[in-house]
């Protein structure tokens, strides 16, 4: 199995902190919009509605992680890696007041991973 999204130990630690502070019902959305800062934002479940325009990538620290469909089309050949940086992130994300911000990194899937996922290699082919 190939994970489409994973998290660093620092990100998992921040997720655990936010769960302790806000409760276990958290979720992530990686958006490509301007107002939500094109980053992975952490929300209480139900604060935003997921729909046909969103793709579920997997769970991070027991929390579902979604990405906007248009952004997924661009980044589907990469594994998203949720990390943490010092400073404030998006004003809509739960970690904003904590002085840390979730930050998404990525790495390109190998040809073998792309084949397992059934995703065409960028530029065509399999």
């Amino acid at each position: 199995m190939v994970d489409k999204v994973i998290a660093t130990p620092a990100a998992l630690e921040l997720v655990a902190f936010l769960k302790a502070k806000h409760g276990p019902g958290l979720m992530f959305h990686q958006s490509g919009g301007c107002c939500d800062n094109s980053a992975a934002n952490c929300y209480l479940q139900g604060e935003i509605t997921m729909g046909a325009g969103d793709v579920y990538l997997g769970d991070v620290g027991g929390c579902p992680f979604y990405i906007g469909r248009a952004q997924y089309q661009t980044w589907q050949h990469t594994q998203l890696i949720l990390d943490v940086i010092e400073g404030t992130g998006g004003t809509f994300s739960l970690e904003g007041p904590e002085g840390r911000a979730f930050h998404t990194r990525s790495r390109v899937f190998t040809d073998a991973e792309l084949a397992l996922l059934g995703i065409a290699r960028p530029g065509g082919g399999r």
Side-chain angles (χ1 to χ4, degrees), residues 24-103:
L26 305 180
M27 62 171 288
F28 287 91
H29 190 270
Q30 174 80 30
S31 175
C34 65
C35 296
D36 51 9
N37 70 12
S38 302
N41 287 302
C42 184
Y43 300 100
L44 295 172
Q45 287 183 358
E47 280 190 321
I48 62 172
T49 302
M50 296 296 99
D54 298 294
V55 177
Y56 170 73
L57 295 184
D59 286 358
V60 171
C63 304
F65 192 107
Y66 298 87
I67 187 171
R69 184 169 305 284
Q71 192 171 14
Y72 177 71
Q73 291 304 313
T74 301
W75 293 102
Q76 65 182 326
H77 63 282
T78 65
Q79 181 180 58
L80 298 185
I81 304 161
L82 188 65
D83 201 357
V84 175
I85 57 174
E86 295 298 318
T88 57
T91 56
F92 302 124
S93 195
L94 288 176
E95 83 283 358
E98 307 305 330
R100 295 178 282 173
F102 287 110
H103 179 77

